[in-house]
Amino acid sequence: MNKDKIYAEPRDPISPFEFNREVVEVFDDMLVRSVPLYRESIHRQAQIVASKYQPGTRIYDLGCSNGNLGLALCREIGEREFELVAVDSSAPMLETYAQRLTAIDAGKQVQLIENDIRRVPLENASVVIINLTLQFLPLADRARLLSDIYRALTPGGVLLLTEKIVHEQQLLNDLQQGFYYRFKAENGYSEMEISQKREALENVLVPETLEAHRKRLQDCGFTSIDVWLKWFNFASLLALKD
Protein backbone atom coordinates (compact mmCIF):
# COMPACT_ATOMS: atom_id res chain seq x y z
CA MET A 1 0.00 0.00 0.00
CA ASN A 2 1.55 3.29 -1.12
CA LYS A 3 1.71 5.93 1.60
CA ASP A 4 -0.30 9.12 1.17
CA LYS A 5 2.17 12.02 0.98
CA ILE A 6 0.17 14.22 -1.40
CA TYR A 7 0.04 17.17 0.98
CA ALA A 8 3.30 16.48 2.82
CA GLU A 9 5.04 19.40 1.08
CA PRO A 10 3.76 22.99 0.77
CA ARG A 11 1.52 23.56 -2.26
CA ASP A 12 0.90 26.96 -3.77
CA PRO A 13 -1.69 27.18 -5.06
CA ILE A 14 -3.68 24.32 -3.56
CA SER A 15 -5.83 22.90 -6.33
CA PRO A 16 -9.35 21.60 -5.67
CA PHE A 17 -9.32 17.94 -4.68
CA GLU A 18 -10.03 15.41 -7.44
CA PHE A 19 -9.82 11.65 -7.82
CA ASN A 20 -6.92 11.66 -10.25
CA ARG A 21 -4.11 9.14 -10.70
CA GLU A 22 -2.04 10.74 -7.92
CA VAL A 23 -4.87 10.12 -5.46
CA VAL A 24 -5.66 6.64 -6.80
CA GLU A 25 -2.08 5.48 -6.19
CA VAL A 26 -2.37 6.21 -2.45
CA PHE A 27 -6.13 5.90 -2.05
CA ASP A 28 -6.30 2.93 0.32
CA ASP A 29 -3.77 4.47 2.68
CA MET A 30 -5.69 7.76 2.50
CA LEU A 31 -8.95 6.00 3.36
CA VAL A 32 -7.64 4.06 6.33
CA ARG A 33 -5.90 7.13 7.79
CA SER A 34 -8.70 9.59 7.02
CA VAL A 35 -11.98 7.69 7.44
CA PRO A 36 -12.63 6.31 10.94
CA LEU A 37 -13.81 2.69 11.04
CA TYR A 38 -13.41 2.39 7.27
CA ARG A 39 -12.51 -1.31 7.22
CA GLU A 40 -15.32 -2.16 9.66
CA SER A 41 -17.79 -0.20 7.54
CA ILE A 42 -16.83 -2.01 4.31
CA HIS A 43 -16.86 -5.42 6.03
CA ARG A 44 -20.33 -4.95 7.52
CA GLN A 45 -21.75 -3.37 4.39
CA ALA A 46 -20.66 -6.39 2.36
CA GLN A 47 -22.50 -8.58 4.84
CA ILE A 48 -25.63 -6.42 4.66
CA VAL A 49 -25.55 -6.41 0.86
CA ALA A 50 -25.16 -10.19 0.70
CA SER A 51 -28.07 -10.67 3.11
CA LYS A 52 -30.42 -8.22 1.38
CA TYR A 53 -29.63 -9.06 -2.24
CA GLN A 54 -32.61 -10.51 -4.08
CA PRO A 55 -31.81 -13.00 -6.88
CA GLY A 56 -32.63 -11.64 -10.31
CA THR A 57 -32.10 -8.02 -9.29
CA ARG A 58 -29.13 -5.66 -9.40
CA ILE A 59 -26.76 -4.17 -6.87
CA TYR A 60 -25.56 -0.64 -7.64
CA ASP A 61 -22.40 0.81 -6.10
CA LEU A 62 -22.55 4.50 -6.98
CA GLY A 63 -19.15 6.11 -6.56
CA CYS A 64 -17.43 2.73 -6.36
CA SER A 65 -13.85 4.15 -6.46
CA ASN A 66 -11.24 1.37 -6.59
CA GLY A 67 -13.61 -1.43 -5.61
CA ASN A 68 -13.06 -2.11 -1.93
CA LEU A 69 -16.76 -2.71 -1.32
CA GLY A 70 -17.18 -4.74 -4.50
CA LEU A 71 -14.29 -7.07 -3.69
CA ALA A 72 -15.51 -7.49 -0.12
CA LEU A 73 -18.94 -8.42 -1.50
CA CYS A 74 -17.43 -10.96 -3.89
CA ARG A 75 -15.79 -12.65 -0.91
CA GLU A 76 -18.91 -12.46 1.25
CA ILE A 77 -21.51 -13.64 -1.25
CA GLY A 78 -19.59 -16.79 -2.06
CA GLU A 79 -20.67 -18.87 -5.04
CA ARG A 80 -24.11 -17.29 -5.44
CA GLU A 81 -24.82 -15.52 -8.69
CA PHE A 82 -25.32 -11.77 -8.49
CA GLU A 83 -25.13 -8.67 -10.67
CA LEU A 84 -23.17 -5.68 -9.41
CA VAL A 85 -23.13 -2.44 -11.41
CA ALA A 86 -20.24 -0.30 -10.16
CA VAL A 87 -20.19 3.32 -11.32
CA ASP A 88 -17.52 5.99 -10.98
CA SER A 89 -16.51 9.09 -12.94
CA SER A 90 -12.78 8.55 -12.31
CA ALA A 91 -11.08 6.52 -15.05
CA PRO A 92 -7.96 5.84 -12.92
CA MET A 93 -10.16 4.45 -10.14
CA LEU A 94 -11.94 2.09 -12.51
CA GLU A 95 -8.67 0.98 -14.09
CA THR A 96 -7.44 -0.09 -10.67
CA TYR A 97 -10.78 -1.77 -9.91
CA ALA A 98 -10.67 -3.70 -13.20
CA GLN A 99 -7.15 -4.94 -12.46
CA ARG A 100 -8.22 -6.17 -9.03
CA LEU A 101 -11.22 -8.03 -10.48
CA THR A 102 -9.03 -10.14 -12.75
CA ALA A 103 -7.71 -11.97 -9.70
CA ILE A 104 -11.10 -13.38 -8.65
CA ASP A 105 -13.67 -15.55 -10.45
CA ALA A 106 -16.63 -13.57 -9.11
CA GLY A 107 -15.23 -10.49 -10.81
CA LYS A 108 -17.02 -11.53 -13.98
CA GLN A 109 -20.30 -10.60 -12.29
CA VAL A 110 -19.21 -7.00 -11.75
CA GLN A 111 -19.95 -4.45 -14.47
CA LEU A 112 -17.83 -1.30 -14.35
CA ILE A 113 -19.26 1.92 -15.78
CA GLU A 114 -17.36 5.18 -16.16
CA ASN A 115 -20.01 7.85 -15.83
CA ASP A 116 -21.52 10.51 -13.61
CA ILE A 117 -23.72 8.66 -11.13
CA ARG A 118 -26.52 11.14 -11.84
CA ARG A 119 -26.68 9.99 -15.46
CA VAL A 120 -26.85 6.23 -15.01
CA PRO A 121 -30.32 4.69 -15.41
CA LEU A 122 -31.26 2.75 -12.28
CA GLU A 123 -33.69 -0.15 -12.38
CA ASN A 124 -34.58 -3.44 -10.69
CA ALA A 125 -32.29 -2.88 -7.72
CA SER A 126 -32.46 -4.67 -4.40
CA VAL A 127 -29.39 -2.88 -2.99
CA VAL A 128 -27.83 0.51 -3.69
CA ILE A 129 -24.63 1.71 -2.01
CA ILE A 130 -23.38 5.31 -1.89
CA ASN A 131 -20.20 5.49 0.16
CA LEU A 132 -18.76 8.97 0.80
CA THR A 133 -20.02 10.12 -2.60
CA LEU A 134 -23.24 12.08 -2.17
CA GLN A 135 -21.20 14.74 -0.37
CA PHE A 136 -19.39 15.55 -3.63
CA LEU A 137 -22.60 16.30 -5.55
CA PRO A 138 -24.17 19.76 -5.71
CA LEU A 139 -26.80 20.12 -2.99
CA ALA A 140 -29.51 20.66 -5.59
CA ASP A 141 -28.85 17.25 -7.18
CA ARG A 142 -28.88 15.08 -4.06
CA ALA A 143 -32.63 14.73 -3.58
CA ARG A 144 -33.21 13.84 -7.22
CA LEU A 145 -30.62 11.07 -7.13
CA LEU A 146 -32.10 9.58 -3.95
CA SER A 147 -35.59 9.75 -5.45
CA ASP A 148 -34.32 7.87 -8.50
CA ILE A 149 -32.81 5.26 -6.19
CA TYR A 150 -36.04 4.88 -4.25
CA ARG A 151 -38.00 4.32 -7.45
CA ALA A 152 -35.46 1.78 -8.71
CA LEU A 153 -35.48 -0.28 -5.51
CA THR A 154 -37.70 -3.33 -5.34
CA PRO A 155 -39.94 -3.80 -2.27
CA GLY A 156 -37.66 -4.80 0.60
CA GLY A 157 -34.71 -3.15 -1.12
CA VAL A 158 -32.07 -1.29 0.85
CA LEU A 159 -30.01 1.86 0.42
CA LEU A 160 -26.67 2.07 2.26
CA LEU A 161 -25.42 5.64 2.61
CA THR A 162 -22.19 6.73 4.30
CA GLU A 163 -21.32 10.41 4.61
CA LYS A 164 -19.09 12.85 6.40
CA ILE A 165 -21.47 15.05 8.40
CA VAL A 166 -21.62 18.29 10.36
CA HIS A 167 -23.57 18.91 13.55
CA GLU A 168 -26.34 21.50 13.65
CA GLN A 169 -25.06 22.78 17.01
CA GLN A 170 -21.79 24.68 16.64
CA LEU A 171 -20.32 23.54 19.97
CA LEU A 172 -20.84 19.89 19.11
CA ASN A 173 -19.65 20.46 15.55
CA ASP A 174 -16.41 21.96 16.86
CA LEU A 175 -15.98 19.02 19.23
CA GLN A 176 -16.47 16.50 16.41
CA GLN A 177 -14.11 18.33 14.08
CA GLY A 178 -11.51 18.50 16.83
CA PHE A 179 -11.57 14.76 17.38
CA TYR A 180 -11.45 14.15 13.63
CA TYR A 181 -8.29 16.20 13.24
CA ARG A 182 -6.88 14.41 16.26
CA PHE A 183 -7.67 11.08 14.55
CA LYS A 184 -5.78 12.17 11.45
CA ALA A 185 -2.81 13.37 13.50
CA GLU A 186 -2.71 10.04 15.35
CA ASN A 187 -2.50 8.37 11.93
CA GLY A 188 0.60 10.33 11.02
CA TYR A 189 -0.72 13.36 9.17
CA SER A 190 1.04 16.64 9.99
CA GLU A 191 -0.79 19.90 10.70
CA MET A 192 0.25 21.13 7.25
CA GLU A 193 -1.15 18.01 5.56
CA ILE A 194 -4.43 18.33 7.44
CA SER A 195 -4.69 22.03 6.63
CA GLN A 196 -3.84 21.69 2.94
CA LYS A 197 -6.22 18.74 2.47
CA ARG A 198 -8.98 20.73 4.19
CA GLU A 199 -8.38 23.65 1.81
CA ALA A 200 -8.35 21.35 -1.23
CA LEU A 201 -11.73 19.93 -0.21
CA GLU A 202 -13.31 23.33 0.45
CA ASN A 203 -16.42 23.68 -1.72
CA VAL A 204 -15.67 20.26 -3.27
CA LEU A 205 -16.89 18.12 -0.38
CA VAL A 206 -19.95 19.77 1.17
CA PRO A 207 -21.20 17.85 4.24
CA GLU A 208 -24.67 18.15 5.72
CA THR A 209 -26.25 17.39 9.08
CA LEU A 210 -27.56 13.95 9.93
CA GLU A 211 -31.00 15.52 10.26
CA ALA A 212 -30.82 16.81 6.67
CA HIS A 213 -29.98 13.32 5.41
CA ARG A 214 -32.84 11.77 7.37
CA LYS A 215 -35.35 14.31 6.09
CA ARG A 216 -34.26 13.87 2.49
CA LEU A 217 -34.61 10.10 2.74
CA GLN A 218 -38.05 10.48 4.28
CA ASP A 219 -39.09 12.93 1.57
CA CYS A 220 -38.07 10.37 -1.04
CA GLY A 221 -40.40 7.79 0.51
CA PHE A 222 -38.21 5.83 2.93
CA THR A 223 -39.91 5.21 6.28
CA SER A 224 -37.49 2.69 7.83
CA ILE A 225 -34.20 4.53 8.41
CA ASP A 226 -31.41 3.69 10.83
CA VAL A 227 -27.96 5.01 11.65
CA TRP A 228 -26.13 1.72 12.02
CA LEU A 229 -22.61 3.16 12.43
CA LYS A 230 -21.44 6.56 13.64
CA TRP A 231 -18.10 8.06 14.67
CA PHE A 232 -18.28 11.76 15.56
CA ASN A 233 -18.62 13.42 12.12
CA PHE A 234 -19.02 10.25 10.03
CA ALA A 235 -22.28 8.33 9.76
CA SER A 236 -23.55 5.25 7.93
CA LEU A 237 -27.28 5.02 7.31
CA LEU A 238 -29.50 2.18 6.18
CA ALA A 239 -32.86 2.91 4.54
CA LEU A 240 -35.35 0.16 3.66
CA LYS A 241 -38.06 0.40 1.05
CA ASP A 242 -41.26 -1.08 2.48
Side-chain angles (χ1 to χ4, degrees), residues 19-20 24 33 40 47 62 111 124 133 140 163 176 190 203 206 227-229:
F19 294 98
N20 54 26
V24 171
R33 296 167 64 202
E40 172 69 9
Q47 293 178 336
L62 304 179
Q111 177 187 2
N124 190 34
T133 299
E163 288 281 283
Q176 292 186 356
S190 67
N203 298 321
V206 180
V227 177
W228 67 273
L229 185 68

Side-chain angles (χ1 to χ4, degrees), residues 9-71:
E9 299 296 332
R11 291 195 169 205
D12 187 18
I14 299 175
S15 302
F17 185 86
E18 59 180 314
F19 294 98
N20 54 26
R21 194 166 300 280
E22 181 184 32
V23 167
V24 171
E25 289 176 354
V26 299
F27 193 57
D28 281 338
D29 182 65
M30 180 183 291
L31 285 171
V32 171
R33 296 167 64 202
S34 301
V35 181
L37 302 176
Y38 177 74
R39 289 195 177 101
E40 172 69 9
S41 173
I42 292 296
H43 178 58
R44 298 305 172 192
Q45 283 186 78
Q47 293 178 336
I48 294 170
V49 174
S51 68
K52 297 300 293 182
Y53 173 66
Q54 302 171 23
T57 66
R58 294 189 181 95
I59 303 164
Y60 287 92
D61 187 0
L62 304 179
C64 61
S65 66
N66 66 354
N68 287 332
L69 187 280
L71 269 69

Side-chain angles (χ1 to χ4, degrees), residues 214-228:
R214 281 186 179 275
K215 184 179 186 306
R216 186 182 291 119
L217 291 170
Q218 291 168 346
D219 290 345
C220 290
F222 291 103
T223 56
S224 300
I225 303 167
D226 187 34
V227 177
W228 67 273

Side-chain angles (χ1 to χ4, degrees), residues 202-241:
E202 187 74 24
N203 298 321
V204 176
L205 188 164
V206 180
E208 297 179 272
T209 65
L210 189 54
E211 291 75 15
H213 286 295
R214 281 186 179 275
K215 184 179 186 306
R216 186 182 291 119
L217 291 170
Q218 291 168 346
D219 290 345
C220 290
F222 291 103
T223 56
S224 300
I225 303 167
D226 187 34
V227 177
W228 67 273
L229 185 68
K230 187 178 184 300
W231 187 98
F232 291 106
N233 59 335
F234 283 81
S236 295
L237 296 89
L238 181 155
L240 292 171
K241 182 173 181 178

Side-chain angles (χ1 to χ4, degrees), residues 74-144:
C74 288
R75 293 190 295 269
E76 183 64 33
I77 208 164
E79 297 181 358
R80 282 189 290 159
E81 291 187 0
F82 67 96
E83 182 181 355
L84 170 59
V85 180
V87 185
D88 206 283
S89 59
S90 169
M93 283 290 187
L94 292 178
E95 289 170 12
T96 300
Y97 197 164
Q99 291 171 2
R100 299 174 78 188
L101 287 174
T102 60
I104 58 174
D105 292 337
K108 299 173 183 177
Q109 300 183 88
V110 181
Q111 177 187 2
L112 303 184
I113 297 179
E114 182 184 344
N115 204 343
D116 187 315
I117 62 173
R118 294 166 291 182
R119 297 175 184 163
V120 176
L122 306 173
E123 58 183 1
N124 190 34
S126 57
V127 184
V128 178
I129 307 107
I130 313 179
N131 273 333
L132 302 168
T133 299
L134 196 70
Q135 59 201 23
F136 289 101
L137 297 184
L139 287 169
D141 293 346
R142 299 179 186 186
R144 183 170 65 251

